[in-house]
Amino acid sequence: MTELSEKIMINTIKRLKKEKNALILAHNYQIMEVQDVADFVGDSLELAQKASQTDAKMIVFCGVKFMAETAKLLKPNAKVLLSQNEAGCPMADMITSKQLEEFKKEHPQSTVLCYVNSSVEVKAESDICCTSSNAVKIIESLPKDNTILFVPDQNLGTFAAQKTNKNVIVWKGFCRVHHSFISVQDIENARENFPDYKIIVHPECSPEVFNLADIVGSTKQIADYIAENDKVIIGTEIGLIAQLRIKYPNKKIRSLSDKAICINMKKTSLRDVFLTLLEENNEIIIEEKIAKKALKSINRMLQLS
Ligand code: 13P
Ligand code: SF4
């Protein structure tokens, strides 16, 4: 891509945004060129909140599919477009609605709490949703003696269970980026080489990792922590780290693992954003019956957030 064509695309994106009354939402893991043209960049909860509050006629979502679906559930009258059709979240696909039905049969009388990283069909079969930033709060809000079925992320479920002392049965899903590419060895190396740094990790990391960290938080909570601290090692996808290094050039920010790259989050290019706005392709369509049920679990979460 030449510098000129990049400039043309950025200017066209700006013009089309105004003409079409469109809002561009981007997740913290997106490449910097995409974050730079977005109206708002944030974590899953913030992006859902922005989608629910906007008056825009069109939302161009730069992230992965479940995030664009959540935006569509919250703004059914807006045209919601996923800027890269191939961007999915493999963890969200680790449980199907059929599997969830079976799981519920094995544990009748329990409450199903689903991580927002899930399909609309799974959300429709769940009682309430959560994101990584409010999982603890949502579990705390549920009746004391309830057994909670947490799907699909075993690590976030385990983290929230530890914090709340509730009876939580987790589905064995996981995010490969956090579960497999951020290790105990990475923490041990960081402690040895940078003893005066704090270590903050995302709760999708394994319990062995998050129990060794100083702090655990969502991508927004990590960003908030960096705002207040100068020497930090971050255990999450590298897109957030790139953003924070630009925002805070004088802070010492290190990545716990350079292998933590979400290929799905990296599929969206500036050209994709430009073409999506121009051609209005990759529209998110959700069957009305499923949307109605899924929205209930999202709204229950938003009311408590
Ligand atoms: P956040 O809600 O913390 O941004 O996380 C979303 C995600 O997909 C993490 O892998
Ligand atoms: Fe899904 Fe993991 Fe990528 Fe987040 S980082 S979108 S959980 S695969």
Side-chain angles (χ1 to χ4, degrees), residues 260-278:
I261 301 170
C262 176
I263 49 167
N264 280 284
M265 284 285 185
K266 298 290 177 270
K267 284 179 181 167
T268 308
S269 63
L270 182 65
R271 190 179 164 78
D272 290 327
V273 184
F274 162 76
L275 287 177
T276 305
L277 253 175
L278 190 72

Side-chain angles (χ1 to χ4, degrees), residues 18-64:
K18 272 198 198 136
E19 280 174 20
K20 299 191 179 198
N21 189 8
L23 178 77
I24 304 181
L25 296 177
H27 186 264
N28 284 320
Y29 295 160
Q30 291 291 292
I31 61 168
M32 284 317 297
E33 290 87 340
V34 169
Q35 292 194 29
D36 287 344
V37 292
D39 295 297
F40 183 79
V41 181
D43 75 353
S44 306
L45 180 63
E46 293 179 288
L47 293 169
Q49 287 166 330
K50 284 282 165 198
S52 73
Q53 291 155 2
T54 187
D55 292 326
K57 284 204 165 66
M58 184 187 287
I59 297 174
V60 175
F61 210 104
C62 308
V64 291

Side-chain angles (χ1 to χ4, degrees), residues 27 29 43-44 67 115 117 132 178 202 204 218-219:
H27 186 264
Y29 295 160
D43 75 353
S44 306
M67 296 177 174
Y115 187 24
N117 297 40
S132 58
H178 290 85
H202 196 278
E204 286 175 11
S218 74
T219 57

Side-chain angles (χ1 to χ4, degrees), residues 16-278:
L16 289 173
K17 241 175 23 176
K18 272 198 198 136
E19 280 174 20
K20 299 191 179 198
N21 189 8
L23 178 77
I24 304 181
L25 296 177
H27 186 264
N28 284 320
Y29 295 160
Q30 291 291 292
I31 61 168
M32 284 317 297
E33 290 87 340
V34 169
Q35 292 194 29
D36 287 344
V37 292
D39 295 297
F40 183 79
V41 181
D43 75 353
S44 306
L45 180 63
E46 293 179 288
L47 293 169
Q49 287 166 330
K50 284 282 165 198
S52 73
Q53 291 155 2
T54 187
D55 292 326
K57 284 204 165 66
M58 184 187 287
I59 297 174
V60 175
F61 210 104
C62 308
V64 291
K65 191 173 174 202
F66 77 81
M67 296 177 174
E69 285 176 342
T70 303
K72 180 67 185 176
L73 292 173
L74 290 162
K75 269 286 144 189
N77 296 329
K79 192 169 195 178
V80 178
L81 310 170
L82 179 60
S83 54
Q84 171 46 262
N85 213 19
E86 301 290 308
C89 169
M91 177 168 64
D93 298 331
M94 285 184 185
I95 187 166
T96 62
S97 58
K98 272 253 161 321
Q99 287 173 311
L100 178 52
E101 271 175 40
E102 290 303 314
F103 196 32
K104 280 162 56 168
K105 275 187 205 150
E106 284 165 29
H107 305 280
Q109 316 291 319
S110 37
T111 303
V112 180
L113 170 53
C114 86
Y115 187 24
V116 74
N117 297 40
S118 53
S119 67
V120 266
E121 290 80 7
V122 164
K123 288 184 178 81
E125 283 297 320
S126 301
D127 297 297
I128 185 164
C129 266
C130 72
T131 72
S132 58
S133 68
N134 62 18
V136 171
K137 198 172 173 183
I138 300 289
I139 290 193
E140 270 168 353
S141 77
L142 298 173
K144 214 167 118 216
D145 300 325
N146 272 28
T147 295
I148 297 155
L149 304 184
F150 192 99
V151 298
D153 186 17
Q154 56 179 303
N155 293 339
L156 178 63
T158 302
F159 172 72
Q162 263 181 224
K163 287 274 172 197
T164 54
N165 257 327
K166 292 254 172 117
N167 182 22
V168 181
I169 303 171
V170 297
W171 185 259
K172 294 289 181 190
F174 60 90
C175 159
R176 205 159 164 240
V177 179
H178 290 85
H179 185 86
S180 310
F181 296 137
I182 300 177
S183 66
V184 168
Q185 187 66 55
D186 291 325
I187 300 243
E188 285 170 357
N189 291 346
R191 292 276 185 225
E192 194 178 324
N193 297 325
F194 304 98
D196 53 341
Y197 280 60
K198 291 285 183 199
I199 300 180
I200 183 165
V201 303
H202 196 278
E204 286 175 11
C205 293
S206 69
E208 293 76 13
V209 166
F210 66 61
N211 282 329
L212 287 176
D214 297 304
I215 305 122
V216 182
S218 74
T219 57
K220 174 189 165 19
Q221 289 161 342
I222 293 173
D224 290 348
Y225 185 78
I226 301 294
E228 303 296 327
N229 292 274
D230 291 336
K231 287 182 174 180
V232 188
I233 301 180
I234 301 173
T236 195
E237 211 275 343
I238 58 162
L240 175 67
I241 298 158
Q243 176 204 107
L244 294 171
R245 280 186 178 142
I246 291 169
K247 192 165 177 191
Y248 303 108
N250 298 323
K251 294 195 185 233
K252 293 202 165 76
I253 301 170
R254 305 192 66 87
S255 175
L256 192 53
S257 165
D258 290 333
K259 286 184 279 179
I261 301 170
C262 176
I263 49 167
N264 280 284
M265 284 285 185
K266 298 290 177 270
K267 284 179 181 167
T268 308
S269 63
L270 182 65
R271 190 179 164 78
D272 290 327
V273 184
F274 162 76
L275 287 177
T276 305
L277 253 175
L278 190 72

